[in-house]
Amino acid sequence: SNGSGTFTPGSLNIGNSQIASNAAISPLKFGAGSLLNTAFLTSSGNTSLTSTSYVTTFSTSYTPVSSSSYLYFFIHINYWSNFSSPSSDCYARLTVDGTQVWNNDRAGGNFNFSGSTGLHSHMNQFGRYTNSNTSAKALAVQNRLTSAPSSGSLSVGHSINNGHQIVVWEVSR
């Protein structure tokens, strides 16, 4: 310091310092592309799907830490088929506050099984949402079949522990 509280650039040398335990760096101070937050959201429930229209099979929420960020999503869904006919494809989509992030990604095809053990399948998808506020975001995974089964259903989210998994990465923009 020159005695008046002004420092010459490059002349500041801090030896031993402490940062308060309640100190935080505002997300606004991070550069574009910086990881601001992550969340791992799961559901252990499942939905018996017979509809050819989109049905919400998992809903949850995520509250962003920044009003200027991208939300990247990795979605994993387990499926278990226990219907016999007709053969059907299953499609999935993710919405954030009702806005489609991705749509019509074929989760699996030709679900048609007449045996006693069923058919297990899963889907992994990525999506990105441009966020502009810190209000909680309603996330919904929705699924539909191309043909309604004559008997049985497709169990969406079928798993002992985590039938649906959504990983959220919030990144500064």
Side-chain angles (χ1 to χ4, degrees):
S1 169
N2 65 4
S4 65
T6 304
F7 291 91
T8 305
S11 67
L12 181 61
N13 184 3
I14 300 175
N16 295 317
S17 62
Q18 294 181 349
I19 297 175
S21 62
N22 63 348
I25 299 173
S26 166
L28 301 175
K29 302 292 184 189
F30 289 109
S34 297
L35 181 63
L36 303 176
N37 196 25
T38 60
F40 184 69
L41 311 168
T42 64
S43 167
S44 59
N46 66 59
T47 301
S48 294
L49 183 66
T50 58
S51 178
T52 56
S53 299
Y54 279 105
V55 173
T56 297
T57 55
F58 175 50
S59 61
T60 188
S61 65
Y62 172 78
T63 303
V65 297
S66 172
S67 60
S68 179
S69 60
Y70 293 116
L71 303 180
Y72 289 91
F73 301 97
F74 170 78
I75 298 96
H76 175 85
I77 308 169
N78 288 305
Y79 298 91
W80 180 263
S81 172
N82 63 357
F83 62 84
S84 58
S85 67
S87 180
S88 183
D89 290 341
C90 180
Y91 288 84
R93 69 181 179 188
L94 173 71
T95 63
V96 177
D97 286 341
T99 300
Q100 240 171 235
V101 174
W102 52 260
N103 183 40
N104 285 341
D105 286 301
R106 185 174 177 220
N110 297 318
F111 286 112
N112 181 352
F113 192 86
S114 57
S116 61
T117 58
L119 173 68
H120 182 252
S121 183
H122 66 272
M123 177 195 72
N124 297 310
Q125 288 296 330
F126 288 92
R128 184 186 88 172
Y129 175 82
T130 302
N131 176 50
S132 61
N133 61 56
T134 57
S135 299
K137 305 292 177 248
L139 310 178
V141 175
Q142 300 176 329
N143 288 262
R144 72 174 178 86
L145 295 172
T146 54
S147 301
S150 57
S151 66
S153 64
L154 181 67
S155 179
V156 182
H158 174 80
S159 178
I160 293 171
N161 294 313
N162 298 314
H164 289 87
Q165 301 167 354
I166 301 177
V167 180
V168 180
W169 293 279
E170 185 173 356
V171 177
S172 61
R173 54 182 172 103

